[in-house]
Amino acid sequence: MDDIATDILRRTIRKIPVKKLQDTLKSWEHISTSQLETLDFSQPKWVFLENLRSLCEENDLNVKHVTELEMIYHIRNPNQGTWHACQLLEAEDEALSVELTQFREQFKAHLMEVMRHVSVKIKKHEDQAIWIRIAWGDNFNKPNQLKPTYVVHYLQTPYVFVSKLSSKHKPYLYQALVLSTRHSSIKDAHLSGSSLIALRDLLMRQYQQVFPTNQSRPLQERNALPSHPNIGKEHAELAEKRLQMACEAFGDGTVPKLETAVYRLETKYKGNGNDTLIDRDEPFKGVVQFTSTNLLESLRHCVASGMADAPVTPLLSSITQKGRNYFVITEKGPGAASQMTGRKI
Amino acid sequence: MEGRGSAVKTPASRIVKRRSKSYGRSCVEPPSQFWYTPGQLTIVRIPTSREAAKSRNITEKVDPEKVALLVKNEWKLSHVTPLYRFRHTQLKQYSRHLSAFIMAEKQQGVAVEVGPETTFKVTFSTVLGLAETEEDAETVFIQIHSKPMFAAAGDVPKVVWSGWLTCVNGDPEYLRSLPPDFVSLPLFCTNGPEALTTLVKSWLERTFDCNCRSLILNSTILNWLAVLWTGCHPTTDIRYLKLDWTLPTDPSLDISYRLSPQDVWELWNSIHQEDSADDTVSLEEVNRFMTGLESHFFRHFRIYLSAGTLMKVSTSLGSAHHNGKIKIACSNYIPTVLTLLTECAILRMPI
C-alpha cells in the first residue's frame, strides 16, 4: 500500500455511509469474510480506516485493487458530479455484435496506443452498463489516480455518458470509443445533468410517455362543486386538455430528473410592438436558463396549471423529443420560424 | 423632483387615514409623540418618473476609503422610522453605548457567533458628502470590531459587522414635515452575522425610539433598477443584464434570462424619449421595456413570466434581490441607487 493507494482508500471510505460499508467491502472481494468479521463497523471512520488499511497491507493490495473499490462506490452512487451524454454515429455492421471481452481489449489497446501512461479499468454492471475508469497521465508522468474520468456505455446502444473529462483528453477517449464500438464518429448530445439514470432514461425513452390521442381521458372526479355544471365541465375539460398536452411533452408519472436546460437565443426581436427592433436584422441575443430540482416535472406543472400556454412550444418539448438540454436557437431565414442547431464541438 | 405626485397636506383636525400598507408601528401600539405631530403629515406617493442614472465620480465629494467600504460588500436592507433625538455630534458616545450593550447581551447568553473570548469595539462615523440635498441627514457608518480577550501585541481588531444608515434625496416634503427632534435616516444597510444585526437593531430601537424592519424589493423597484442600469450602458459597459424569475410550479422553476448589453440598450433606447431637458424616465417607459422583454421571451417559450416573481436584477454595476439584498459594484452610480432605495424605505413609513 503506497501513499496514493492509502489516499484513494481514505477518500472512498469517507464517502461511503457507515450502514453500507460492510456490504460494499463484501462485494469488493479483496478482504476475506473472516477478516471482515474482525472489523468493528461502529468505530469512528479514522480508526476503522487504520484497521482496514492494515488488512489491505496484510493481503498485499495495491492501487489497482483500491481503485476497484472506488469503482464499486461510483457504480452504486451514479448520481454524482455532472454527466455529459455523447452519441455514437453511423454504426458499422459489426457494431451490434460487439461484446464485453472484445470491447475491453480493443478499448484498452486503442487508448494505450496513443498514450504511454494511462490506466484503464473496466467493469460490467448488472444492467448491461459498462463502467470505465480512466486515470490519465502523459508521456512523462504516471497516471493521476486521484482525478479519474468515469465513462458509462451501454453495449449495442449509441449512448455514452462521461463525467470529469478534461478537454485535453476528450479526443483520445472519443477515438478509442468510436473504434472499439465499431462506429464512425461520436458527437456531443448536448445533454447533461447530475443524474446518470435520468439522462439514460431520457435518451432511451425509459419513462412513461403519453402519445397524442383523439379519445379524451375520463374526467377525474373533483371535490369542489362548480357554480354551474356547464362552466364546471368546460373548465375541467380545458384543464384535462392542458394536462394531456403537458404529459405528451414531458411524460407522465415519474419523469427523468434533469436540473437545467439552457437556450442560447440568437433570434430576431419578437417582442410587443417595437418597430425599431423588429425591423432590425441583427439577432436579439440572450441566454435563458431554466433550473429546478426536477425540470421536467416543473415544466409539466407549468403547462398543466396554465402558467404556460398549451400546446407546448417545440423549444421546450425538444428536451424530451431530442433528448437534449442545451440549445442554440437561430433564425432559419428571413421571417422563418426559429430553428434549433447544436453547438459546434 | 417635479415629477413626483403632489403631496397632499392633511388638515390638523382631521383623522389621518394611512396609506393602504404600513409595515412600521401598528395602530394598536401606544401612541408615541410621533403619532401626535400636528398637521404636518404628508402622503408620499409612488413617483411615476425619475431622473435617469448619471455617472458621477462621487469620490470627489466623499472620502474614497469610505466609498470603498460601501462598494465592497453585499448589503441587507432594512427601513427605519425617524430616529428620536439622534445627534451627529454624539457618535463617540453611541459607540461606547453600543459596545456596552453588545457585551451585556452577550453575557446574558445571547448567541453571538464569534468565539467566546472576544471583546467588541464599536465605531460610529459619518460618511460626509453622500447626502444630496439640504434635508438629507448625513450618512452614519457603524463598524463592529472583534478582538480576542487576550490579544497578542500584533493582533489587529477584525471587522465582524458593518452597517450604515443613510438618506439620499429623501422626499423633501416628508423630511420637512418631521418634528424637530427627529432625524430621518430611513435606509439601513447591514452586513455581518444575523445575531449582531438583531442586536444593533434592538439597540437602535431602544435608544432612538424607532422601528427597524427588513425591506423587501418588489418588482417595481427591481424594474426601475433594471432600466436605470441599462440606461448607463453608453457611459459604462454593463456587460450584461440578468433577470431572474421564480415560477410557483411544483417543484418551483427558476428562470434566468441573461441579455446582451448592446441589444438590451437598443431596446431601451427605442422606448425611451430623451427629448426633455432634464433626462427623466417614466414609469410607463419602464413598464414598456419590461413588457418588451417578457413578450420576446413569451414568443419563444409561451411561458407567462407574470405568473412568477421577479427575484433578482443584476448587471456588472450591481445587483438587487427581492429579499432586500443589494450590491453596488460601481461607485459612480451610488447616488442613483441610493435615491431609489431611500424612496422605497420612505414609502414604508407609517404616516
Short mmCIF file of all heavy atoms in Angstrom, two decimals, chain A residues 263 267-272 274 276-277 280 283-293 295 298 301-302 307-309 313, chain B residues 247-260 263 266-267 270-271 292 295-304 307:
data_model
loop_
_atom_site.label_atom_id
_atom_site.label_comp_id
_atom_site.label_asym_id
_atom_site.label_seq_id
_atom_site.Cartn_x
_atom_site.Cartn_y
_atom_site.Cartn_z
N TYR A 263 -30.88 27.71 -23.22
CA TYR A 263 -31.17 28.12 -24.59
C TYR A 263 -30.39 29.38 -24.90
O TYR A 263 -30.53 30.38 -24.22
CB TYR A 263 -32.67 28.42 -24.76
CG TYR A 263 -33.56 27.22 -24.56
CD1 TYR A 263 -33.93 26.83 -23.28
CD2 TYR A 263 -34.02 26.49 -25.64
CE1 TYR A 263 -34.73 25.73 -23.09
CE2 TYR A 263 -34.83 25.38 -25.46
CZ TYR A 263 -35.18 25.00 -24.18
OH TYR A 263 -35.97 23.91 -23.98
N THR A 267 -32.17 34.87 -32.03
CA THR A 267 -33.27 35.13 -32.95
C THR A 267 -33.53 36.63 -33.01
O THR A 267 -33.06 37.38 -32.18
CB THR A 267 -34.54 34.44 -32.44
OG1 THR A 267 -34.67 34.73 -31.06
CG2 THR A 267 -34.47 32.96 -32.63
N LYS A 268 -34.32 37.02 -33.99
CA LYS A 268 -34.68 38.43 -34.10
C LYS A 268 -35.66 38.80 -32.99
O LYS A 268 -36.35 37.94 -32.45
CB LYS A 268 -35.31 38.70 -35.47
CG LYS A 268 -34.27 38.78 -36.56
CD LYS A 268 -34.91 39.06 -37.89
CE LYS A 268 -35.48 40.47 -37.93
NZ LYS A 268 -35.99 40.81 -39.27
N TYR A 269 -35.70 40.09 -32.67
CA TYR A 269 -36.60 40.54 -31.62
C TYR A 269 -38.05 40.28 -32.02
O TYR A 269 -38.47 40.62 -33.12
CB TYR A 269 -36.36 42.03 -31.36
CG TYR A 269 -37.23 42.57 -30.25
CD1 TYR A 269 -36.95 42.28 -28.93
CD2 TYR A 269 -38.33 43.36 -30.54
CE1 TYR A 269 -37.74 42.76 -27.91
CE2 TYR A 269 -39.13 43.85 -29.52
CZ TYR A 269 -38.84 43.54 -28.21
OH TYR A 269 -39.64 44.01 -27.21
N LYS A 270 -38.79 39.64 -31.13
CA LYS A 270 -40.17 39.31 -31.43
C LYS A 270 -41.13 39.89 -30.40
O LYS A 270 -42.26 39.44 -30.27
CB LYS A 270 -40.35 37.79 -31.44
CG LYS A 270 -39.59 37.09 -32.54
CD LYS A 270 -40.01 35.63 -32.59
CE LYS A 270 -39.34 34.88 -33.71
NZ LYS A 270 -37.89 34.76 -33.56
N GLY A 271 -40.65 40.86 -29.66
CA GLY A 271 -41.48 41.41 -28.58
C GLY A 271 -42.65 42.23 -29.09
O GLY A 271 -42.90 42.31 -30.30
N ASN A 272 -43.33 42.84 -28.16
CA ASN A 272 -44.53 43.62 -28.50
C ASN A 272 -44.18 44.91 -29.23
O ASN A 272 -43.21 45.57 -28.90
CB ASN A 272 -45.26 44.00 -27.21
CG ASN A 272 -46.16 42.89 -26.77
OD1 ASN A 272 -46.29 41.89 -27.47
ND2 ASN A 272 -46.77 43.04 -25.61
N ASN A 274 -42.64 46.97 -31.20
CA ASN A 274 -41.49 47.86 -31.15
C ASN A 274 -40.85 47.77 -32.52
O ASN A 274 -40.04 46.91 -32.80
CB ASN A 274 -40.53 47.40 -30.06
CG ASN A 274 -39.41 48.39 -29.86
OD1 ASN A 274 -38.82 48.85 -30.83
ND2 ASN A 274 -39.12 48.74 -28.63
N THR A 276 -38.73 49.58 -34.22
CA THR A 276 -37.30 49.79 -34.41
C THR A 276 -36.54 48.47 -34.30
O THR A 276 -35.67 48.18 -35.11
CB THR A 276 -36.76 50.75 -33.32
OG1 THR A 276 -37.79 51.66 -32.98
CG2 THR A 276 -35.54 51.47 -33.81
N LEU A 277 -36.91 47.69 -33.29
CA LEU A 277 -36.18 46.45 -33.11
C LEU A 277 -36.66 45.33 -34.01
O LEU A 277 -35.87 44.49 -34.44
CB LEU A 277 -36.24 46.01 -31.64
CG LEU A 277 -34.95 46.40 -30.93
CD1 LEU A 277 -35.07 47.75 -30.30
CD2 LEU A 277 -34.52 45.35 -29.97
N ARG A 280 -35.02 45.42 -37.25
CA ARG A 280 -33.57 45.25 -37.22
C ARG A 280 -33.19 43.86 -37.72
O ARG A 280 -33.89 42.89 -37.45
CB ARG A 280 -33.11 45.42 -35.77
CG ARG A 280 -31.70 45.86 -35.60
CD ARG A 280 -31.42 46.04 -34.13
NE ARG A 280 -31.35 44.73 -33.45
CZ ARG A 280 -30.59 44.50 -32.39
NH1 ARG A 280 -29.86 45.47 -31.88
NH2 ARG A 280 -30.57 43.31 -31.82
N PRO A 283 -29.73 39.68 -34.66
CA PRO A 283 -30.49 38.98 -33.62
C PRO A 283 -30.47 39.73 -32.30
O PRO A 283 -29.57 40.53 -32.04
CB PRO A 283 -29.77 37.64 -33.51
CG PRO A 283 -28.39 37.90 -33.99
CD PRO A 283 -28.50 38.96 -35.05
N PHE A 284 -31.46 39.44 -31.48
CA PHE A 284 -31.57 40.00 -30.13
C PHE A 284 -31.05 38.91 -29.20
O PHE A 284 -31.73 37.94 -28.91
CB PHE A 284 -33.04 40.32 -29.87
CG PHE A 284 -33.29 41.10 -28.61
CD1 PHE A 284 -33.03 42.46 -28.56
CD2 PHE A 284 -33.81 40.48 -27.49
CE1 PHE A 284 -33.27 43.19 -27.41
CE2 PHE A 284 -34.05 41.20 -26.33
CZ PHE A 284 -33.78 42.57 -26.30
N LYS A 285 -29.81 39.08 -28.77
CA LYS A 285 -29.12 37.95 -28.12
C LYS A 285 -29.40 37.84 -26.63
O LYS A 285 -29.51 38.86 -25.93
CB LYS A 285 -27.62 38.08 -28.33
CG LYS A 285 -27.19 37.72 -29.72
CD LYS A 285 -25.69 37.76 -29.81
CE LYS A 285 -25.27 37.56 -31.25
NZ LYS A 285 -23.86 37.88 -31.43
N GLY A 286 -29.48 36.63 -26.17
CA GLY A 286 -29.65 36.40 -24.75
C GLY A 286 -29.52 34.91 -24.44
O GLY A 286 -29.54 34.07 -25.35
N VAL A 287 -29.35 34.61 -23.18
CA VAL A 287 -29.26 33.21 -22.76
C VAL A 287 -30.33 32.97 -21.71
O VAL A 287 -30.41 33.70 -20.73
CB VAL A 287 -27.88 32.87 -22.17
CG1 VAL A 287 -27.83 31.42 -21.74
CG2 VAL A 287 -26.78 33.17 -23.16
N VAL A 288 -31.16 31.96 -21.94
CA VAL A 288 -32.21 31.63 -20.97
C VAL A 288 -31.85 30.31 -20.32
O VAL A 288 -31.55 29.34 -21.00
CB VAL A 288 -33.58 31.52 -21.66
CG1 VAL A 288 -34.63 31.05 -20.67
CG2 VAL A 288 -33.99 32.87 -22.24
N GLN A 289 -31.86 30.30 -19.00
CA GLN A 289 -31.59 29.06 -18.29
C GLN A 289 -32.75 28.73 -17.37
O GLN A 289 -33.18 29.55 -16.57
CB GLN A 289 -30.29 29.19 -17.49
CG GLN A 289 -30.06 27.95 -16.63
CD GLN A 289 -28.61 27.78 -16.22
OE1 GLN A 289 -27.74 28.56 -16.59
NE2 GLN A 289 -28.34 26.75 -15.45
N PHE A 290 -33.25 27.51 -17.51
CA PHE A 290 -34.29 27.02 -16.62
C PHE A 290 -33.63 26.12 -15.59
O PHE A 290 -32.84 25.26 -15.95
CB PHE A 290 -35.33 26.19 -17.39
CG PHE A 290 -36.10 27.00 -18.40
CD1 PHE A 290 -35.66 27.12 -19.71
CD2 PHE A 290 -37.28 27.63 -18.04
CE1 PHE A 290 -36.36 27.86 -20.64
CE2 PHE A 290 -37.99 28.37 -18.96
CZ PHE A 290 -37.54 28.49 -20.26
N THR A 291 -33.97 26.32 -14.34
CA THR A 291 -33.38 25.49 -13.28
C THR A 291 -34.47 25.03 -12.33
O THR A 291 -35.36 25.81 -11.98
CB THR A 291 -32.34 26.29 -12.47
OG1 THR A 291 -31.53 27.02 -13.37
CG2 THR A 291 -31.49 25.39 -11.63
N SER A 292 -34.41 23.77 -11.94
CA SER A 292 -35.36 23.23 -10.97
C SER A 292 -34.77 21.97 -10.39
O SER A 292 -33.84 21.40 -10.95
CB SER A 292 -36.68 22.93 -11.68
OG SER A 292 -37.45 22.05 -10.90
N THR A 293 -35.31 21.52 -9.28
CA THR A 293 -34.82 20.25 -8.74
C THR A 293 -35.27 19.11 -9.64
O THR A 293 -34.63 18.07 -9.71
CB THR A 293 -35.35 20.01 -7.32
OG1 THR A 293 -36.76 20.26 -7.33
CG2 THR A 293 -34.69 20.93 -6.32
N LEU A 295 -36.66 19.42 -13.46
CA LEU A 295 -37.07 20.34 -14.51
C LEU A 295 -38.31 19.90 -15.27
O LEU A 295 -39.25 20.67 -15.47
CB LEU A 295 -35.91 20.55 -15.48
CG LEU A 295 -36.18 21.57 -16.57
CD1 LEU A 295 -36.27 22.96 -15.99
CD2 LEU A 295 -35.11 21.53 -17.63
N SER A 298 -41.41 20.31 -13.24
CA SER A 298 -41.77 21.73 -13.13
C SER A 298 -42.44 22.21 -14.41
O SER A 298 -43.46 22.90 -14.36
CB SER A 298 -40.53 22.58 -12.88
OG SER A 298 -40.06 22.40 -11.59
N HIS A 301 -45.92 20.84 -14.80
CA HIS A 301 -46.86 21.55 -13.92
C HIS A 301 -47.14 22.95 -14.45
O HIS A 301 -48.26 23.46 -14.37
CB HIS A 301 -46.29 21.62 -12.50
CG HIS A 301 -47.23 22.21 -11.51
ND1 HIS A 301 -46.99 23.39 -10.88
CD2 HIS A 301 -48.44 21.80 -11.08
CE1 HIS A 301 -47.99 23.68 -10.08
NE2 HIS A 301 -48.90 22.74 -10.19
N CYS A 302 -46.11 23.57 -15.01
CA CYS A 302 -46.22 24.92 -15.57
C CYS A 302 -47.28 24.94 -16.68
O CYS A 302 -48.12 25.83 -16.74
CB CYS A 302 -44.85 25.31 -16.10
SG CYS A 302 -44.68 27.00 -16.60
N MET A 307 -49.68 28.29 -16.44
CA MET A 307 -48.64 29.32 -16.38
C MET A 307 -47.91 29.40 -17.71
O MET A 307 -47.22 30.37 -18.01
CB MET A 307 -47.64 29.02 -15.26
CG MET A 307 -48.13 29.46 -13.90
SD MET A 307 -46.91 29.16 -12.64
CE MET A 307 -47.58 27.74 -11.84
N ALA A 308 -48.06 28.34 -18.50
CA ALA A 308 -47.55 28.38 -19.87
C ALA A 308 -48.70 28.00 -20.78
O ALA A 308 -49.59 27.25 -20.39
CB ALA A 308 -46.40 27.40 -20.04
N ASP A 309 -48.66 28.53 -21.98
CA ASP A 309 -49.72 28.24 -22.94
C ASP A 309 -49.53 26.85 -23.54
O ASP A 309 -48.42 26.46 -23.86
CB ASP A 309 -49.68 29.27 -24.07
CG ASP A 309 -50.77 30.29 -23.90
OD1 ASP A 309 -51.55 30.16 -22.93
OD2 ASP A 309 -50.84 31.22 -24.72
N THR A 313 -44.52 24.72 -26.66
CA THR A 313 -43.65 25.14 -27.75
C THR A 313 -42.58 24.06 -28.05
O THR A 313 -42.10 23.40 -27.13
CB THR A 313 -42.98 26.49 -27.42
OG1 THR A 313 -41.69 26.51 -28.01
CG2 THR A 313 -42.81 26.66 -25.94
N LEU B 247 -40.99 30.76 -10.75
CA LEU B 247 -42.39 30.43 -11.02
C LEU B 247 -42.88 29.46 -9.96
O LEU B 247 -42.18 28.51 -9.62
CB LEU B 247 -42.52 29.79 -12.41
CG LEU B 247 -43.14 30.67 -13.51
CD1 LEU B 247 -42.36 31.96 -13.65
CD2 LEU B 247 -43.18 29.93 -14.82
N PRO B 248 -44.10 29.68 -9.46
CA PRO B 248 -44.59 28.83 -8.36
C PRO B 248 -45.09 27.47 -8.84
O PRO B 248 -46.18 27.05 -8.50
CB PRO B 248 -45.73 29.66 -7.78
CG PRO B 248 -46.23 30.47 -8.92
CD PRO B 248 -45.07 30.73 -9.80
N THR B 249 -44.30 26.77 -9.65
CA THR B 249 -44.69 25.43 -10.06
C THR B 249 -44.27 24.47 -8.96
O THR B 249 -43.66 24.87 -7.98
CB THR B 249 -43.97 25.02 -11.36
OG1 THR B 249 -42.58 25.23 -11.15
CG2 THR B 249 -44.44 25.84 -12.53
N ASP B 250 -44.59 23.22 -9.13
CA ASP B 250 -44.22 22.23 -8.11
C ASP B 250 -43.39 21.13 -8.76
O ASP B 250 -43.92 20.36 -9.53
CB ASP B 250 -45.51 21.64 -7.51
CG ASP B 250 -45.20 20.64 -6.43
OD1 ASP B 250 -44.10 20.73 -5.87
OD2 ASP B 250 -46.03 19.77 -6.17
N PRO B 251 -42.08 21.04 -8.54
CA PRO B 251 -41.22 21.93 -7.74
C PRO B 251 -40.98 23.26 -8.46
O PRO B 251 -41.18 23.33 -9.66
CB PRO B 251 -39.92 21.13 -7.66
CG PRO B 251 -39.91 20.26 -8.85
CD PRO B 251 -41.33 19.94 -9.16
N SER B 252 -40.58 24.27 -7.72
CA SER B 252 -40.51 25.62 -8.29
C SER B 252 -39.48 25.70 -9.42
O SER B 252 -38.48 24.98 -9.43
CB SER B 252 -40.20 26.64 -7.20
OG SER B 252 -38.86 26.51 -6.82
N LEU B 253 -39.78 26.58 -10.36
CA LEU B 253 -38.96 26.69 -11.56
C LEU B 253 -38.26 28.04 -11.57
O LEU B 253 -38.91 29.08 -11.48
CB LEU B 253 -39.87 26.55 -12.79
CG LEU B 253 -39.23 26.67 -14.17
CD1 LEU B 253 -38.24 25.54 -14.39
CD2 LEU B 253 -40.29 26.65 -15.25
N ASP B 254 -36.93 28.02 -11.65
CA ASP B 254 -36.18 29.27 -11.74
C ASP B 254 -35.83 29.53 -13.19
O ASP B 254 -35.34 28.64 -13.89
CB ASP B 254 -34.89 29.18 -10.92
CG ASP B 254 -35.16 29.04 -9.45
OD1 ASP B 254 -36.22 29.53 -9.00
OD2 ASP B 254 -34.34 28.43 -8.74
N ILE B 255 -36.07 30.76 -13.62
CA ILE B 255 -35.75 31.12 -14.99
C ILE B 255 -34.81 32.30 -14.95
O ILE B 255 -35.12 33.32 -14.36
CB ILE B 255 -37.03 31.51 -15.77
CG1 ILE B 255 -38.00 30.34 -15.80
CG2 ILE B 255 -36.69 31.96 -17.17
CD1 ILE B 255 -39.34 30.67 -16.41
N SER B 256 -33.65 32.13 -15.54
CA SER B 256 -32.75 33.28 -15.60
C SER B 256 -32.57 33.67 -17.06
O SER B 256 -32.43 32.83 -17.93
CB SER B 256 -31.42 32.95 -14.92
OG SER B 256 -30.44 32.66 -15.87
N TYR B 257 -32.63 34.97 -17.30
CA TYR B 257 -32.55 35.49 -18.66
C TYR B 257 -31.41 36.50 -18.68
O TYR B 257 -31.49 37.55 -18.05
CB TYR B 257 -33.89 36.15 -19.01
CG TYR B 257 -34.08 36.51 -20.47
CD1 TYR B 257 -33.16 36.12 -21.43
CD2 TYR B 257 -35.19 37.23 -20.89
CE1 TYR B 257 -33.35 36.44 -22.76
CE2 TYR B 257 -35.38 37.56 -22.22
CZ TYR B 257 -34.45 37.16 -23.15
OH TYR B 257 -34.64 37.49 -24.47
N ARG B 258 -30.36 36.14 -19.37
CA ARG B 258 -29.18 37.00 -19.42
C ARG B 258 -29.12 37.62 -20.81
O ARG B 258 -29.03 36.90 -21.80
CB ARG B 258 -27.94 36.15 -19.14
CG ARG B 258 -26.69 36.93 -18.92
CD ARG B 258 -25.53 35.94 -18.80
NE ARG B 258 -24.29 36.57 -19.17
CZ ARG B 258 -23.32 36.83 -18.29
NH1 ARG B 258 -23.44 36.49 -17.05
NH2 ARG B 258 -22.22 37.40 -18.70
N LEU B 259 -29.16 38.95 -20.85
CA LEU B 259 -29.26 39.62 -22.14
C LEU B 259 -27.97 40.33 -22.52
O LEU B 259 -27.24 40.81 -21.65
CB LEU B 259 -30.39 40.65 -22.08
CG LEU B 259 -31.76 40.01 -22.00
CD1 LEU B 259 -32.58 40.63 -20.91
CD2 LEU B 259 -32.45 40.13 -23.34
N SER B 260 -27.75 40.39 -23.83
CA SER B 260 -26.58 41.11 -24.32
C SER B 260 -26.78 42.61 -24.06
O SER B 260 -27.85 43.15 -24.30
CB SER B 260 -26.40 40.83 -25.81
OG SER B 260 -26.33 42.02 -26.54
N ASP B 263 -27.87 44.93 -27.13
CA ASP B 263 -29.24 44.70 -27.60
C ASP B 263 -30.26 45.27 -26.63
O ASP B 263 -31.24 45.89 -27.02
CB ASP B 263 -29.50 43.20 -27.78
CG ASP B 263 -28.72 42.64 -28.94
OD1 ASP B 263 -28.24 43.44 -29.76
OD2 ASP B 263 -28.58 41.40 -29.03
N GLU B 266 -30.38 48.97 -26.88
CA GLU B 266 -31.09 49.42 -28.07
C GLU B 266 -32.60 49.34 -27.87
O GLU B 266 -33.34 50.21 -28.32
CB GLU B 266 -30.66 48.62 -29.29
CG GLU B 266 -29.39 49.20 -29.90
CD GLU B 266 -28.89 48.42 -31.10
OE1 GLU B 266 -29.75 47.97 -31.88
OE2 GLU B 266 -27.67 48.27 -31.23
N LEU B 267 -33.03 48.29 -27.19
CA LEU B 267 -34.46 48.17 -26.88
C LEU B 267 -34.89 49.36 -26.02
O LEU B 267 -35.91 50.00 -26.28
CB LEU B 267 -34.74 46.85 -26.15
CG LEU B 267 -36.16 46.68 -25.61
CD1 LEU B 267 -37.16 46.58 -26.76
CD2 LEU B 267 -36.28 45.43 -24.73
N SER B 270 -35.00 52.63 -27.90
CA SER B 270 -36.13 52.79 -28.82
C SER B 270 -37.41 53.13 -28.05
O SER B 270 -38.37 53.63 -28.62
CB SER B 270 -36.33 51.52 -29.64
OG SER B 270 -36.83 50.50 -28.81
N ILE B 271 -37.43 52.84 -26.76
CA ILE B 271 -38.61 53.13 -25.95
C ILE B 271 -38.49 54.50 -25.29
O ILE B 271 -39.43 55.28 -25.23
CB ILE B 271 -38.79 52.04 -24.87
CG1 ILE B 271 -39.23 50.73 -25.52
CG2 ILE B 271 -39.80 52.47 -23.81
CD1 ILE B 271 -39.18 49.55 -24.60
N GLY B 292 -41.67 44.45 -23.11
CA GLY B 292 -40.94 44.11 -24.34
C GLY B 292 -40.09 42.88 -24.15
O GLY B 292 -40.09 41.97 -24.99
N SER B 295 -42.38 39.76 -23.47
CA SER B 295 -43.11 39.25 -24.63
C SER B 295 -42.15 38.57 -25.62
O SER B 295 -42.52 37.59 -26.26
CB SER B 295 -43.91 40.36 -25.31
OG SER B 295 -43.04 41.36 -25.78
N HIS B 296 -40.92 39.07 -25.70
CA HIS B 296 -39.93 38.38 -26.54
C HIS B 296 -39.70 36.97 -25.98
O HIS B 296 -39.64 36.00 -26.73
CB HIS B 296 -38.62 39.16 -26.54
CG HIS B 296 -37.52 38.53 -27.34
ND1 HIS B 296 -37.58 38.39 -28.71
CD2 HIS B 296 -36.36 37.96 -26.97
CE1 HIS B 296 -36.48 37.78 -29.14
NE2 HIS B 296 -35.73 37.51 -28.10
N PHE B 297 -39.61 36.89 -24.67
CA PHE B 297 -39.44 35.59 -24.02
C PHE B 297 -40.65 34.70 -24.30
O PHE B 297 -40.53 33.53 -24.62
CB PHE B 297 -39.26 35.81 -22.51
CG PHE B 297 -39.11 34.54 -21.72
CD1 PHE B 297 -37.86 34.00 -21.49
CD2 PHE B 297 -40.22 33.90 -21.20
CE1 PHE B 297 -37.72 32.83 -20.76
CE2 PHE B 297 -40.09 32.73 -20.48
CZ PHE B 297 -38.84 32.19 -20.26
N PHE B 298 -41.84 35.31 -24.20
CA PHE B 298 -43.07 34.54 -24.38
C PHE B 298 -43.17 33.95 -25.80
O PHE B 298 -43.59 32.81 -25.97
CB PHE B 298 -44.30 35.40 -24.09
CG PHE B 298 -45.59 34.66 -24.21
CD1 PHE B 298 -46.06 33.88 -23.16
CD2 PHE B 298 -46.34 34.71 -25.38
CE1 PHE B 298 -47.23 33.16 -23.28
CE2 PHE B 298 -47.52 34.00 -25.51
CZ PHE B 298 -47.97 33.23 -24.45
N ARG B 299 -42.76 34.74 -26.80
CA ARG B 299 -42.82 34.24 -28.17
C ARG B 299 -42.00 32.97 -28.35
O ARG B 299 -42.23 32.18 -29.25
CB ARG B 299 -42.30 35.29 -29.15
CG ARG B 299 -43.16 36.51 -29.26
CD ARG B 299 -44.46 36.20 -30.01
NE ARG B 299 -45.51 37.12 -29.61
CZ ARG B 299 -45.67 38.34 -30.11
NH1 ARG B 299 -44.88 38.76 -31.06
NH2 ARG B 299 -46.62 39.13 -29.66
N HIS B 300 -41.00 32.78 -27.52
CA HIS B 300 -40.18 31.58 -27.63
C HIS B 300 -40.70 30.43 -26.79
O HIS B 300 -40.76 29.31 -27.25
CB HIS B 300 -38.74 31.90 -27.22
CG HIS B 300 -38.00 32.71 -28.22
ND1 HIS B 300 -38.02 34.08 -28.21
CD2 HIS B 300 -37.23 32.35 -29.27
CE1 HIS B 300 -37.29 34.54 -29.22
NE2 HIS B 300 -36.80 33.50 -29.88
N PHE B 301 -41.05 30.74 -25.54
CA PHE B 301 -41.32 29.64 -24.60
C PHE B 301 -42.79 29.52 -24.21
O PHE B 301 -43.17 28.56 -23.56
CB PHE B 301 -40.45 29.80 -23.35
CG PHE B 301 -38.98 29.76 -23.65
CD1 PHE B 301 -38.24 30.92 -23.71
CD2 PHE B 301 -38.35 28.55 -23.92
CE1 PHE B 301 -36.90 30.89 -24.02
CE2 PHE B 301 -37.00 28.51 -24.22
CZ PHE B 301 -36.28 29.69 -24.28
N ARG B 302 -43.59 30.51 -24.57
CA ARG B 302 -45.02 30.53 -24.25
C ARG B 302 -45.26 30.37 -22.75
O ARG B 302 -46.25 29.80 -22.31
CB ARG B 302 -45.76 29.44 -25.03
CG ARG B 302 -45.46 29.55 -26.52
CD ARG B 302 -46.31 28.66 -27.33
NE ARG B 302 -47.71 28.98 -27.13
CZ ARG B 302 -48.64 28.81 -28.05
NH1 ARG B 302 -48.32 28.36 -29.23
NH2 ARG B 302 -49.89 29.08 -27.80
N ILE B 303 -44.33 30.89 -21.97
CA ILE B 303 -44.48 30.87 -20.51
C ILE B 303 -44.78 32.30 -20.06
O ILE B 303 -44.12 33.24 -20.50
CB ILE B 303 -43.19 30.36 -19.83
CG1 ILE B 303 -42.99 28.88 -20.14
CG2 ILE B 303 -43.22 30.60 -18.33
CD1 ILE B 303 -41.72 28.30 -19.59
N TYR B 304 -45.79 32.45 -19.21
CA TYR B 304 -46.14 33.76 -18.70
C TYR B 304 -45.26 34.08 -17.50
O TYR B 304 -45.48 33.56 -16.41
CB TYR B 304 -47.61 33.81 -18.27
CG TYR B 304 -48.58 33.62 -19.41
CD1 TYR B 304 -49.13 32.38 -19.67
CD2 TYR B 304 -48.94 34.70 -20.21
CE1 TYR B 304 -50.02 32.19 -20.72
CE2 TYR B 304 -49.83 34.52 -21.26
CZ TYR B 304 -50.37 33.27 -21.51
OH TYR B 304 -51.25 33.10 -22.54
N ALA B 307 -46.69 35.22 -14.16
CA ALA B 307 -47.22 34.27 -13.17
C ALA B 307 -46.24 34.08 -12.02
O ALA B 307 -46.60 33.60 -10.96
CB ALA B 307 -47.50 32.92 -13.82
#
